[in-house]
Amino acid sequence: MRRTQRKGLLSFVITIFIAAAVSFAGADISDEIGTNEAAFLKIDAATRATAMGGAFVGVANDVNSVFWNPAGLTQMEKREFSAMYNSWFAGINHGSFAYSQPLGENAAVAVSLIWLQSEIDNRLTDTEEPDSNFNAYLFAAGLSGGYALIPGVFSLGGTLKAIGQDFDVEKSDGIAADLGGLIHMGNLSLGASAQNIKLHMSIDEANLPLNVRVGGAYQFTEDAIIAGEFSKLGAGEASYHIGLEKWIHNILAIRVGYTLGNEDNPKEGVSAGLGLRAYGTKPLEDLSFQFDYAYVPDRNGLGDTHRISMMTRF
């Protein structure tokens, strides 16, 4: 291994250690002191990654890497835009947007938005009809950047995001950060990230759901990949994720994943999905579209979840 690669690997290991230490320490405090805010950040944002069981921190090779590992932004050669909609249980509407822009060969920037909206009943007594209704709005808007310290081998990335919550008369806002690293060794890639690191909250004692992810991926061929991931959200139990993706003639993708959690982890179980690519013709031959669908069966009475998304590269 060349000296620069050894230095990159050492830096990556240090990054994983710092990310894990910050996340685990913050998670212990989070459940013991104060209140937990922005719980909607626990909901995964992307479709492709969800179909693969959430095992994406070591893949991170499209614009949705901003939601798993911003270091992956350096893998994109074109501009990418993605939009996702998730019809969740109890009439909850959840979605995300992301746009990435390469800056030369070794750097990239991106903007992103996660949002959640739901109509909530307001009751003063136990009545069949609510006394009134109000809409709850939650969002996290992010600005991300990635840089390849060793091109094609080692990258770092980060996201700064503004968080807002509006529950009728109760409102809060804050600022948080994500950090990530990604290393490639041939067909093997390793990734790690620490997400929702609290920088400021308008409610001083409030804490965010800190999340640490560590995982890897192996590219069997250009159109087949297997990925695994370990994640720990707050002071809760750890979860383990595995996912497979296979492209057929670079047009149709078949994805399947499984999440193994402890106790009553609502993410535990099987997930699956499909992807479909379409390519532009002259004079739009550099334009391509990708449509993704993910299905997550009912878990703990939360109902089936259907996600759809669209991505374009140009």
Side-chain angles (χ1 to χ4, degrees):
M1 184 179 290
R2 293 178 300 177
R3 183 176 180 181
T4 54
Q5 291 178 323
R6 289 198 300 269
K7 290 175 63 178
L9 182 58
L10 177 60
S11 300
F12 180 72
V13 172
I14 293 172
T15 300
I16 292 177
F17 176 79
I18 294 173
V22 169
S23 296
F24 285 133
D28 290 339
I29 295 172
S30 174
D31 273 9
E32 294 176 2
I33 300 176
T35 59
N36 292 304
E37 289 287 312
F40 74 100
L41 294 174
K42 298 179 181 180
I43 307 172
D44 292 335
T47 299
R48 177 188 174 207
T50 299
M52 295 175 65
F56 201 68
V57 71
V59 180
N61 60 0
D62 65 33
V63 64
N64 290 306
S65 63
V66 295
F67 304 122
W68 255 263
N69 183 358
L73 289 170
T74 58
Q75 296 195 80
M76 274 143 275
E77 298 178 354
K78 295 182 178 182
R79 291 171 291 178
E80 295 188 10
F81 173 79
S82 176
M84 182 276 294
Y85 175 73
N86 175 17
S87 176
W88 223 37
F89 76 103
I92 295 175
N93 299 299
H94 171 233
S96 65
F97 302 90
Y99 169 79
S100 64
Q101 170 76 56
L103 299 177
E105 296 181 356
N106 302 324
V109 295
V111 291
S112 61
L113 175 69
I114 302 172
W115 60 270
L116 186 147
Q117 177 274 331
S118 180
E119 186 177 272
I120 298 177
D121 295 340
N122 188 11
R123 287 181 171 86
L124 298 178
T125 59
D126 185 12
T127 58
E128 183 176 346
E129 296 296 328
D131 298 311
S132 62
N133 304 91
F134 67 90
N135 282 306
Y137 300 97
L138 308 95
F139 76 88
L143 175 63
S144 305
Y147 183 75
L149 296 178
I150 305 175
V153 178
F154 177 58
S155 300
L156 289 176
T159 298
L160 185 67
K161 52 192 177 187
I163 300 169
Q165 299 183 108
D166 186 346
F167 294 97
D168 196 19
V169 296
E170 296 184 10
K171 297 179 174 63
S172 65
D173 57 71
I175 300 174
D178 300 343
L179 298 173
L182 187 67
I183 190 168
H184 286 88
M185 297 177 289
N187 291 342
L188 176 67
S189 59
L190 302 172
S193 66
Q195 299 176 298
N196 309 323
I197 301 170
K198 175 185 170 182
L199 300 180
H200 167 76
M201 289 297 292
S202 58
I203 303 175
D204 291 336
E205 69 275 15
N207 291 286
L208 297 176
L210 293 169
N211 193 12
V212 62
R213 303 178 188 266
V214 179
Y218 187 80
Q219 191 89 36
F220 290 102
T221 62
E222 291 184 359
D223 53 17
I225 191 169
I226 182 172
E229 180 175 318
F230 162 90
S231 66
K232 191 173 188 298
L233 184 60
E237 298 292 338
S239 58
Y240 307 87
H241 313 256
I242 186 168
L244 297 167
E245 179 184 66
K246 169 64 177 177
W247 282 93
I248 301 173
H249 300 302
N250 207 30
I251 295 176
L252 175 67
I254 299 174
R255 305 182 182 108
V256 64
Y258 189 83
T259 299
L260 176 64
N262 295 314
E263 298 180 350
D264 295 323
N265 186 344
K267 293 184 179 181
E268 184 176 61
V270 176
S271 58
L274 299 172
L276 183 66
R277 283 177 178 164
Y279 300 90
T281 56
K282 291 183 178 181
L284 302 175
E285 62 268 22
D286 292 331
L287 181 67
S288 67
F289 296 92
Q290 183 173 314
F291 302 91
D292 296 305
Y293 167 76
Y295 170 68
V296 180
D298 182 22
R299 298 173 181 174
N300 292 350
L302 298 181
D304 296 345
T305 299
H306 303 272
R307 295 177 183 231
I308 55 173
S309 67
M310 179 276 295
M311 180 188 303
T312 181
R313 298 177 174 89
F314 54 100

